[in-house]
Structures are given as C-alpha cells and as structure tokens.
Amino acid sequence: MGTREDREESASLAPVWCPVANMVAERRAGPGGQEVWRGSKHFQPGAKLYLQSGYRGMGGESVTVVGRHCGSHRYVTMVVRSAWLENWRADLVYSPHIIRQLTPDWDGSAKSKERAERIAELFNRYHAEQRERPDVSPE
C-alpha cells in the first residue's frame, strides 16, 4: 500500500488518450518465416500495449510501447515491431503508472484523442496493405 501522497497523486492524475494495440497471437519468424511464435519474448499474445512514441525516421516499423511483461508482470517500456501489433485503436488510459510513462506525449485533450485516432487508423491501414502484398514478408 502506498503512502498518502502516492494515493493523492494517483487520484489527481487525469486519464489520457493514446493509441493502443494488442500483441498478435502468432507471428512468423526464422529463416523464410518457417517458424510460428506465440506473442513475443516480452509480451503474451493479446497483451494490451500502449504506444509511447514512434518516430517518422523509424518509418513506423518499430514503436515504443508500455505493457505488462510476461515474466515479471511489471510494466515495462520496450521497442517492438509494429507488424507484431494488431487491433490499433485510440483509448483512454486510467492507470497512474502508465499515465506517468505516456506524459507529456499524450494527454486528455480532444487534440490528443484525434491524434491517437489518426495514428491508430494509419497503422491499421498500413498493416492491412502489407498483408495484401504477397511480395512482402510480415517479418
């Protein structure tokens, strides 16, 4: 149980908007994509991951996310391939720990919500196009 100050701080944190996604259930790996792996080394299949940041220079291929680690069950910040994430959407975050990790990039404003929705739509569209192209591997 936290101190009184910790509880007061948690109560004073307002929810923030950010893009969220789920870790894919299965993904192809290895030479030629012959192996099938469940989730990733750090996140279980279906884990809810919160987008902390993604840089234009990274081309959207890798993103920094916050989520619960499958081994320690603590929140961790990791860089993962965006191709390993599905079901992108904008969502309000209420967890004080995650809010602290996401600020100042995300907040509770309408502008932040619109930005999160736009990013989620872009990732969904981009990955749908990649799946339709037979000449591009998902890895």
Side-chain angles (χ1 to χ4, degrees), residues 19 52 104-106 110-120:
Q52 186 178 35
D105 294 323
W106 300 102
K111 187 175 181 179
S112 187
K113 178 183 179 186
E114 290 171 12
R115 185 173 151 233
E117 289 172 339
R118 189 172 58 249
I119 289 171

Side-chain angles (χ1 to χ4, degrees), residues 25 29 64 66 76 95 109 134:
T64 305
V66 178
V76 295
S95 167
S109 68

Side-chain angles (χ1 to χ4, degrees), residues 49-115:
L49 302 173
Y50 304 85
L51 179 72
Q52 186 178 35
S53 62
Y55 303 101
R56 286 188 183 258
M58 297 167 80
E61 291 179 9
S62 297
V63 292
T64 305
V65 296
V66 178
R68 286 211 184 263
H69 193 273
C70 64
S72 67
H73 303 289
R74 293 178 181 228
Y75 284 110
V76 295
T77 303
M78 299 272 175
V79 175
V80 298
R81 293 180 57 96
S82 64
W84 297 353
L85 304 175
E86 63 186 1
N87 190 24
W88 285 90
R89 62 211 180 269
D91 205 357
L92 266 176
V93 179
Y94 295 93
S95 167
H97 180 78
I98 296 174
I99 291 171
R100 282 195 227 52
Q101 298 296 315
L102 298 176
T103 17
D105 294 323
W106 300 102
D107 58 36
S109 68
K111 187 175 181 179
S112 187
K113 178 183 179 186
E114 290 171 12
R115 185 173 151 233

